[in-house]
Amino acid sequence: MLIFAVLALLVFSLALDLGGTVARTATPGVLWTTVAFSGTLGLSRSLAREQRNGCIDGLLLAPVDRSAIFFGKAIGNVLFMGVVEIVLLPLASALFNVSLLQGGVLVVLALGTLGYAAVGTLLAAMAVNTRAQEVMLPILLLPLAIPALIAAVQATGALLEGGTLAQVGGWVRLLVVYDLLIVAVAMLTFGYVVEE
Amino acid sequence: MGKVGGGVMRKAGRDVWGLALVGLSGVAVFTALGMVFLYAPREATMGDVQRIFYFHVASAWVGFFAFCVTFVASVAYLARGARRWDMLALSSVEIGLAFIAMAVISGSLWARPVWGTYWTWEPRLTISAVQLLIYAAYGMLRASVESAEQKARFAAVYGIVAFVTVPLSWFAIRWWRTIHPDVLTGGPGMAITPPMVHTLLAALAAFTLLYATLLRQRVRLERAADTLARLRLQVASEE
């Protein structure tokens, strides 16, 4: 996942060959595309691993609520994606000559990652039980992640143009609403997904 | 196969409500079509091309309504676990996909002479395209799960999560860019007269009836498929 993300970023940088203001407008899109695609890889793997040795059955036997398992998996995925992002940010800053390491961008990144990982965890739990497996997850996930991706790209873009977090408040609020709704729905429905 | 098919056919003959619905929606669609071409006036700036608008709005409405029905049916399926809710959800998605595709295509045909381009990332067009993708994925999900019970459960969860994201996508795309004529609130873009309103309402009613008819037939088809599968199993176990 990490290697893939770094490679994707390098390929984007080579393919687009940008500099100056053009680089600044393209960076949010490149960053979020990389995060989204490498995210699907990590999410598939995280649930497939539980499936392989019947670990998920062990987890289901544990005397805890099903939503606890969901939160465990989702938090794990957020952390993994976070680690990848910690590497991506300075790398993208260097490659595109922009300063991504600012407080506002980190907030947007955290909120976007949270929503993406939450809905991704729920859908990955389904995708590992289908015939298509890894192919299925992006098909299910990307159309549902569109609001989060648009909001995150727009907010990141405005921050890079010198805006403050207060100026992108609308997008940040949209991300927060997305996160809350998705986490609530996922919490309620995860039990039905893992049910035997 | 022949015997089972015959049974279903005989049942269809007695389905008075179903036949009445087919007749009603047929009459309604032709009435609406007549109104679109004969009753509604020619729009001043856009000309005859504007007549697409009535069926375009009606099919977009049915598409959105169908996905709404899927959402409700999905919640009901998870709560009750009855197969008929799953049938309703699945049938509604398929019909909704057809109508939303019609809305996207008729929208592009209209946009070409009026906006000068077939496609633009305009909110309402984009949200229709997003819905098209989401519910196409719904179909793919169903196709790639083996067990019937698991298929229904996964589809219901996806139907719920998907529907929750649609309004958020709508807001996101709307803030992002907007040039769609604000027809209903009478904003700039299109002057709407009473005959136009009547025609639009007739088109909406006709398409909603058509949706109900198709939904009923699609659910019957699914039920017939279930019966067929059950009979096949029965025959196989008797042999």
Side-chain angles (χ1 to χ4, degrees):
Chain A
M1 186 177 164
L2 179 63
I3 309 278
F4 173 82
V6 171
L7 274 172
L9 204 58
L10 282 175
V11 169
F12 269 125
S13 154
L14 291 172
L16 297 174
D17 189 22
L18 303 169
T21 44
V22 190
R24 201 162 60 222
T25 27
T27 310
V30 169
L31 179 70
W32 280 100
T33 314
T34 310
V35 167
F37 287 162
S38 66
T40 58
L41 283 188
L43 288 162
S44 287
R45 290 263 307 277
S46 112
L47 270 296
R49 196 168 292 159
E50 301 290 353
Q51 203 77 8
R52 202 169 302 138
N53 297 320
C55 288
I56 191 82
D57 298 329
L59 283 177
L60 292 176
L61 282 175
V64 292
D65 201 72
R66 296 280 151 88
S67 58
I69 302 174
F70 167 74
F71 279 114
K73 293 306 295 180
I75 291 169
N77 285 326
V78 170
L79 290 180
F80 270 114
M81 285 179 71
V83 169
V84 172
E85 285 160 4
I86 288 173
V87 179
L88 282 183
L89 280 185
L91 191 64
S93 301
L95 283 174
F96 294 96
N97 194 23
V98 291
S99 81
L100 281 166
L101 293 165
Q102 38 176 296
V105 174
L106 293 180
V107 171
V108 170
L109 204 59
L111 287 173
T113 307
L114 184 67
Y116 192 80
V119 66
T121 305
L122 177 72
L123 297 178
M126 289 195 227
V128 289
N129 282 306
T130 62
R131 269 195 303 261
Q133 292 198 353
E134 285 86 2
V135 186
M136 205 66 220
L137 181 64
I139 294 172
L140 295 175
L141 174 56
L142 291 176
L144 298 195
I146 283 175
L149 288 179
I150 292 180
V153 168
Q154 294 303 317
T156 313
L159 288 170
L160 287 186
E161 295 295 333
T164 63
L165 204 54
Q167 281 166 331
V168 294
W171 293 118
V172 173
R173 270 197 292 276
L174 186 69
L175 277 176
V176 172
V177 171
Y178 181 87
D179 290 357
L180 290 176
L181 269 178
I182 287 295
V183 168
V185 173
M187 205 175 90
L188 291 172
T189 52
F190 189 73
Y192 295 104
V193 172
V194 290
E195 199 173 89
E196 282 305 313
Chain B
M1 179 77 190
K3 214 173 85 185
V4 177
V8 172
M9 293 298 279
R10 268 204 309 282
K11 245 176 126 185
R14 285 199 299 270
D15 182 25
V16 183
W17 279 108
L19 279 179
L21 262 179
V22 172
L24 259 179
S25 49
V27 170
V29 168
F30 278 108
T31 311
L33 197 61
M35 282 175 83
V36 166
F37 283 107
L38 304 174
Y39 177 66
R42 195 166 179 281
E43 214 268 341
T45 44
M46 291 181 241
D48 283 328
V49 140
Q50 182 266 343
R51 292 180 200 275
I52 293 178
F53 154 81
Y54 303 107
F55 276 22
H56 166 71
V57 172
S59 42
W61 146 252
V62 169
F64 189 74
F65 181 68
F67 298 139
C68 197
V69 168
T70 298
F71 171 72
V72 174
S74 300
V75 172
Y77 177 78
L78 288 188
R80 298 279 157 80
R83 167 86 174 111
R84 63 198 167 100
W85 292 115
D86 181 45
M87 285 184 199
L88 184 64
L90 161 72
S91 309
S92 201
V93 161
E94 287 184 358
I95 300 167
L97 268 178
F99 277 95
I100 211 89
M102 266 162 61
V104 170
I105 293 168
S106 59
S108 327
L109 289 178
W110 175 84
R112 175 64 192 164
V114 177
W115 290 337
T117 168
Y118 285 110
W119 189 260
T120 162
W121 291 108
E122 186 281 324
R124 267 163 264 203
L125 269 181
T126 312
I127 195 74
S128 305
V130 168
Q131 288 190 21
L132 205 59
L133 289 173
I134 290 181
Y135 290 98
Y138 178 97
M140 292 182 70
L141 174 66
R142 289 195 80 102
S144 75
V145 180
E146 308 266 358
S147 124
E149 196 266 338
Q150 197 174 42
K151 180 187 297 194
R153 246 189 304 121
F154 282 10
V157 171
Y158 194 68
I160 293 170
V161 189
F163 192 73
V164 167
T165 66
V166 168
L168 293 174
S169 285
W170 164 245
F171 280 118
I173 301 164
R174 195 185 168 93
W175 285 345
W176 188 26
R177 48 190 52 180
T178 185
I179 57 165
H180 200 285
D182 215 347
V183 189
L184 297 177
T185 52
M190 199 190 289
I192 205 150
T193 61
M196 287 177 161
V197 176
H198 301 155
T199 311
L200 178 61
L201 290 179
L204 286 176
F207 272 55
T208 311
L209 260 175
L210 184 61
Y211 165 73
T213 308
L214 291 173
L215 186 66
R216 190 184 167 89
Q217 297 303 329
R218 183 62 186 82
V219 170
R220 280 165 61 83
L221 178 64
E222 194 67 16
R223 203 169 285 153
D226 269 15
T227 316
L228 176 61
R230 207 169 38 242
L231 289 174
R232 277 218 172 114
L233 267 180
Q234 213 176 319
V235 170
S237 64
E238 277 166 12
E239 268 169 6

